[in-house]
Amino acid sequence: MSNGKDANAEQNSSQMTLKECLDECMEALDLFLNNHFSESLERLRPRVNESMYHALIYATVLEMQAMMTFQHDDISSAGNTMKNAQEVCQRFRRKSQGLANKLVGETLTEEQLHAEVCYAECQLQRAALTFLQDENMVSFIKGGIKVRNSYLIYKELHSFIKSQSFLKGPSHLHLEGGISFGIGAFNLTLSLFPPRILKLLEFAGFSGDKEYGLSLLRDGATGMNLRSMLCALLLLCYYTFLTFILGTGEGEVAEAESLLVPFRLRYPRGAIFLFFAGRIEAIKGNIDEAVALFEEGCKAQQAWKQFHHMCYWELMWCFTYKRAWKMAYFYADLLSQESRWSKAMYIYMKAACLSMLPKDEARPFGEDEVELFRKVPIFKQKIAGKSPPTEKFAIRKARRYKAPSPARLAVPVLEMMYMWNGFSMISKRPELTEGMMQSLLGAERTLLESPENEYTLDDRCVIHLLKGLCLKNQGHIQEAEECFNMVLSSEKKIRFDHYLVPNTLVELSLLYIDQGRRDEAIKLLQKAKHNYKEYSMESRTQFRVHAALAKLKAEHVEEEDTNP
């Protein structure tokens, strides 16, 4: 970096103090949360090359947009903007070697400390984009190097601001918020990863402490600083999505609700918060209330269509839970036309919804599910050279429709619903579970009446797994266990759906956990973890195994504490 550039940065920053930069960025975020997206970016844009905070927040907004569109161009563009932001931050950093040396000298100005936090955050967000582009190991390792560098800066800063020699500056609140966000995000995210992946990332030196991460993020979310929104969004994603899809399916509704209250009061029409409010209602089983909130989220703003797509996706599932197949189809159809995230998945869902209708019922727009299933592979996409796992799963399932007179899938919508942990969503509503059970019994009858083919046994096992989940929801524990054991006893005969056995082991272990059969549960989870490889959605299943084992471990520690 030339000295001219350094002088330039310092000259510009003296025109606008650190506090003024932070105030203006807070205003821009306020606009963003009130659905004024383009005004928010316009407020930031003039200073992105001279203020580290303008550069960082501008790049963060673009990254959020990229995460929603999932378009390769948007992801690349956000990555470049974040890289530029990192270069701006670099100009404000102290020029000595290694952060530890800088901190030992204790001569860092407040601005230089903020530059360290912003620099670490840029690296962290660039790593997130790397992971977003691909779920494979190469990406984990590429992103992992950025993550490691970022983590070390946060760790040093965290120790430093807790030390006695540290003096708080006027903008300390924002500095502390930035560090809480970083350390909190690391601890929480690392706690979700199965050890196998952590080892590959050479993270053996530091494991994620989930509770510590959550407490730092909660502190960050409730403070009035620039990172409050990021802390809140990360927590809301964790409480309402990650614990569901990668966890044991309980969700943490009370925490999510209390976190959302102040934001809902401050931004009553804020599309982001309406979306999470809808998601919370869905988890509670209040499907009609969820539908109303998602619809309101769509009406609240027209500038970012990507928000609409997130709401359409949730609406598609809400109507699936209610078995309103034509409405679910309608939202899958809207997504297939408007969203770039995964066309193959949307076409698959359209076909899957139609296949649940009675044979003689008219299809919307005269579409035919067999034709749609045949189209699924055409829309396969590559993100950084890889197809998303859910898309691969859909393509694999649709393969059987290549044949001139195909063997139909038994319950494709319900099987995909399982992949997104939808059976947990309906567990609070007996009538919804009962409806699913009727669909499954109908599919089972059809299967018995049809001539056997190479897929029959796999289809039966799919139905047994899903019936087991419904029976568990209904409190019929013995029958649920029998259903799961039917799948496990067919292990050697399953020809195509190899994901069924490890997933059934996970479901049976969760059933055992509820009954206090701890040792048996651990045995099943260890088997699911070590004995199966290369099946559909493997990483998702491994995350769930890890979450279940972590839950058992936490409960065991609690027991020991209460019974010394």
Side-chain angles (χ1 to χ4, degrees), residues 28 48 112-113 150 232 237 281 309 312 317 394 503 535 555 559:
V48 290
Q112 285 168 337
L113 283 169
S150 172
C237 281
E281 291 304 325
H309 300 156
Y312 295 166
W317 288 117
N503 278 278
Y535 54 89
E555 282 170 6
E559 275 167 33

Side-chain angles (χ1 to χ4, degrees), residues 213-244:
L214 286 172
S215 74
L216 280 175
L217 289 168
R218 278 189 212 112
D219 291 347
T222 48
M224 278 303 296
N225 67 73
L226 196 60
R227 303 319 193 292
S228 302
M229 183 219 28
L230 279 178
C231 291
L233 289 182
L234 184 55
L235 282 172
L236 287 167
C237 281
Y238 173 73
Y239 290 142
T240 65
F241 282 97
L242 292 177
T243 51
F244 249 84

Side-chain angles (χ1 to χ4, degrees), residues 489-506:
S489 63
S490 306
E491 177 172 355
K492 298 275 184 285
K493 298 179 198 145
I494 289 173
R495 294 182 60 179
F496 304 98
D497 295 321
H498 300 293
Y499 81 90
L500 285 167
V501 174
N503 278 278
T504 302
L505 287 167
V506 173

Side-chain angles (χ1 to χ4, degrees), residues 34 48-49 57 128 234 283 335-336 375 401 484 502 555 560:
N34 264 321
V48 290
N49 293 322
I57 301 299
L234 184 55
I283 291 171
L335 284 165
S336 74
K375 282 183 188 165
Y401 284 86
F484 294 145
E555 282 170 6
E560 286 187 337

Side-chain angles (χ1 to χ4, degrees), residues 21-283:
C21 286
L22 283 160
D23 289 347
E24 190 163 271
C25 287
M26 286 288 275
E27 285 165 24
L29 267 184
D30 217 42
L31 284 166
F32 176 79
L33 295 175
N34 264 321
N35 307 328
H36 302 303
F37 307 120
S38 46
E39 294 94 316
S40 167
L41 288 170
E42 277 160 27
R43 178 71 59 94
L44 295 163
R45 198 177 288 118
R47 297 190 183 277
V48 290
N49 293 322
E50 61 188 57
S51 151
M52 56 184 155
Y53 275 111
H54 284 70
L56 172 64
I57 301 299
Y58 184 77
T60 301
V61 172
L62 289 186
E63 174 160 347
M64 285 170 76
Q65 197 171 12
M67 286 184 164
M68 282 180 241
T69 62
F70 225 72
Q71 276 177 257
H72 189 260
D73 298 351
D74 288 348
I75 293 172
S76 299
S77 157
N80 291 333
T81 312
M82 195 56 80
K83 193 174 170 209
N84 294 341
Q86 194 176 330
E87 284 163 9
V88 173
C89 298
Q90 176 63 36
R91 301 208 300 262
F92 290 94
R93 291 174 85 201
R94 180 82 190 281
K95 299 298 178 281
S96 65
Q97 288 305 302
L99 181 62
N101 300 348
K102 301 176 191 180
L103 295 184
V104 172
E106 292 165 24
T107 52
L108 264 74
T109 63
E110 186 178 29
E111 190 165 56
Q112 285 168 337
L113 283 169
H114 279 267
E116 293 297 331
V117 176
C118 292
Y119 184 85
E121 197 169 310
C122 289
Q123 280 208 309
L124 184 57
Q125 296 207 41
R126 285 181 69 195
L129 279 171
T130 311
F131 295 145
L132 177 76
Q133 286 176 327
D134 193 2
E135 280 189 26
N136 79 354
M137 284 303 152
V138 178
S139 275
F140 272 128
I141 289 159
K142 263 192 205 162
I145 294 162
K146 290 190 186 90
V147 165
R148 198 175 170 75
N149 297 341
S150 172
Y151 181 81
L152 294 173
I153 297 176
Y154 278 123
K155 215 170 150 186
E156 289 285 351
L157 283 166
H158 196 238
S159 311
F160 181 58
I161 67 165
K162 295 274 177 271
S163 68
Q164 290 178 335
S165 56
F166 174 69
L167 295 171
K168 291 181 181 179
S171 299
H172 177 71
L173 194 67
H174 295 288
L175 179 71
E176 195 172 36
I179 296 168
S180 291
F181 171 67
I183 300 275
F186 269 109
N187 275 283
L188 179 59
T189 316
L190 290 172
S191 74
L192 297 172
F193 279 121
R196 196 164 59 102
I197 295 176
L198 284 182
K199 277 187 193 121
L200 270 169
L201 285 174
E202 290 188 319
F203 275 141
F206 50 91
S207 62
D209 178 337
K210 186 176 86 174
E211 290 313 318
Y212 181 54
L214 286 172
S215 74
L216 280 175
L217 289 168
R218 278 189 212 112
D219 291 347
T222 48
M224 278 303 296
N225 67 73
L226 196 60
R227 303 319 193 292
S228 302
M229 183 219 28
L230 279 178
C231 291
L233 289 182
L234 184 55
L235 282 172
L236 287 167
C237 281
Y238 173 73
Y239 290 142
T240 65
F241 282 97
L242 292 177
T243 51
F244 249 84
I245 295 161
L246 303 179
T248 51
E250 285 121 1
E252 313 217 5
V253 178
E255 281 91 341
E257 279 188 306
S258 64
L259 188 65
L260 204 50
V261 169
F263 288 100
R264 288 292 313 277
L265 287 169
R266 199 163 164 202
Y267 307 104
R269 303 274 296 145
I272 299 178
F273 301 116
L274 284 166
F275 174 77
F276 281 111
R279 181 76 189 167
I280 289 169
E281 291 304 325
I283 291 171

